[in-house]
Amino acid sequence: MTELLLYEAARAQLTVERIRPALAAGHTVICDRFADSTTAYQGAARGLGVDTVVPLHALATGGVLPQLTLVLDLSAEEGLQRAASARDKDRLELEPLAFHRRVRAGFLEIAGREPERVRLIDARGAEDDVAKRIQAAVEAQWSARP
Amino acid sequence: MTELLLYEAARAQLTVERIRPALAAGHTVICDRFADSTTAYQGAARGLGVDTVVPLHALATGGVLPQLTLVLDLSAEEGLQRAASARDKDRLELEPLAFHRRVRAGFLEIAGREPERVRLIDARGAEDDVAKRIQAAVEAQWSARP
């Protein structure tokens, strides 16, 4: 619960100090991790419950939520291998495999509930191939904008 | 909102690491500031709203809330004078007089809603006299316990 509230506190500050001014200036804002990650990590994998977490997102952000979330989907085993080779593990990456399986299940549940807003990207294979899949998903969303 | 969420995060950690174990060991726990202060400062004086703040207390503490809150009541002017002479001012004490008037109004509102649980202590006068008023309020609560 402490971890959840700290993430929401950080997000509240980020939203007011950075995201809202950027949106007001007409920019498109891209975040590496936002509310959907908290839903998957703290709501699903930590077991605090999606129904507990989702209202906090609205409170923390004042309703500024992503129009498009890209979930780079990979098996928990493969994802952990990539994270391990990239840099020192953080608090969440140090959790056991079962935790990361619950994280993935959490993301798949979010994508299942909101398939238009949350796009699953197959993250297997080469970086260039994954980048192409991301580009296609963003362009599809972009061309669909009013 | 960031400030509110940080207070709630700190309270979640304090409740799990200190308060729950102490209660489980049969101790009586006394806190200098707890959820009612957040209701008065962030809910009332900061204007986030009591209805926003109160559900967060339950979330952060898992329902561990005070059986008795003592509000040492003083005019905002006199309270600020005492705080100034005691030590360096903190973030909240640096707020202007109008803020501290809203804090006091917030506490009076809480006490009005829950007069049995929240006792107003007249904090004017000498320390010894205030201490006697506190003692009387605590003893009244103690003797009323089942």
Side-chain angles (χ1 to χ4, degrees):
Chain A
M1 181 56 70
T2 305
E3 185 184 88
L4 167 63
L5 290 164
L6 288 173
Y7 275 111
E8 298 292 358
R11 188 163 297 133
Q13 184 167 15
L14 180 71
T15 302
V16 167
E17 293 185 356
R18 300 296 189 96
I19 296 176
R20 277 189 188 278
L23 292 175
H27 296 300
T28 296
V29 175
I30 303 174
C31 294
D32 178 3
R33 303 283 182 191
F34 203 66
D36 293 305
S37 286
T38 303
T39 303
Y41 277 84
Q42 282 71 44
R46 291 278 196 225
L48 293 172
V50 172
D51 293 345
T52 297
V53 169
V54 168
L56 282 180
H57 300 333
L59 202 65
T61 64
V64 177
L65 291 166
Q67 294 175 293
L68 175 65
T69 291
L70 301 174
V71 177
L72 274 63
D73 186 49
L74 211 55
S75 73
E77 290 87 343
E78 212 173 331
L80 282 177
Q81 277 167 17
R82 286 195 191 171
S85 62
R87 54 186 159 70
D88 287 345
K89 289 183 178 184
D90 69 19
R91 176 184 166 93
L92 293 168
E93 288 162 358
L94 285 168
E95 291 288 335
L97 183 61
F99 176 85
H100 292 281
R101 289 192 174 135
R102 293 198 298 274
V103 172
R104 188 187 189 193
F107 275 119
L108 295 179
E109 199 189 305
I110 295 168
R113 256 200 320 271
E114 298 183 75
E116 292 301 311
R117 191 183 65 78
V118 181
R119 299 283 180 179
L120 288 177
I121 306 290
D122 183 349
R124 289 173 299 182
E127 206 170 314
D128 278 355
D129 294 331
V130 179
K132 277 176 199 151
R133 291 174 206 138
I134 292 172
Q135 192 177 351
V138 172
E139 281 173 358
Q141 176 81 0
W142 204 265
S143 63
R145 286 176 88 177
Chain B
M1 181 57 68
T2 306
E3 184 184 87
L4 167 64
L5 291 164
L6 288 174
Y7 275 111
E8 297 292 0
R11 189 162 296 133
Q13 184 167 14
L14 179 71
T15 303
V16 168
E17 293 185 357
R18 299 297 188 94
I19 297 176
R20 277 188 186 278
L23 292 175
H27 296 301
T28 297
V29 175
I30 303 173
C31 295
D32 180 2
R33 303 282 183 192
F34 203 66
D36 293 305
S37 285
T38 304
T39 304
Y41 277 84
Q42 282 72 43
R46 291 278 195 227
L48 293 172
V50 171
D51 294 344
T52 297
V53 169
V54 168
L56 282 181
H57 301 333
L59 202 66
T61 65
V64 177
L65 292 166
Q67 294 174 294
L68 176 65
T69 291
L70 301 174
V71 177
L72 274 64
D73 186 50
L74 210 56
S75 74
E77 289 87 343
E78 210 173 332
L80 282 177
Q81 277 167 17
R82 286 194 191 171
S85 62
R87 53 185 159 66
D88 287 345
K89 289 185 179 183
D90 69 19
R91 176 182 165 95
L92 292 166
E93 287 162 357
L94 285 168
E95 291 287 335
L97 183 61
F99 177 84
H100 292 281
R101 289 192 173 134
R102 293 197 299 273
V103 171
R104 187 186 191 194
F107 276 120
L108 295 178
E109 198 189 308
I110 296 169
R113 257 200 321 270
E114 299 183 75
E116 292 300 311
R117 191 182 67 76
V118 181
R119 300 284 180 177
L120 289 177
I121 306 289
D122 182 349
R124 291 173 299 182
E127 206 171 314
D128 279 355
D129 294 332
V130 178
K132 276 176 199 150
R133 290 174 207 138
I134 292 172
Q135 191 178 351
V138 172
E139 282 173 359
Q141 176 82 359
W142 203 266
S143 63
R145 284 177 86 180

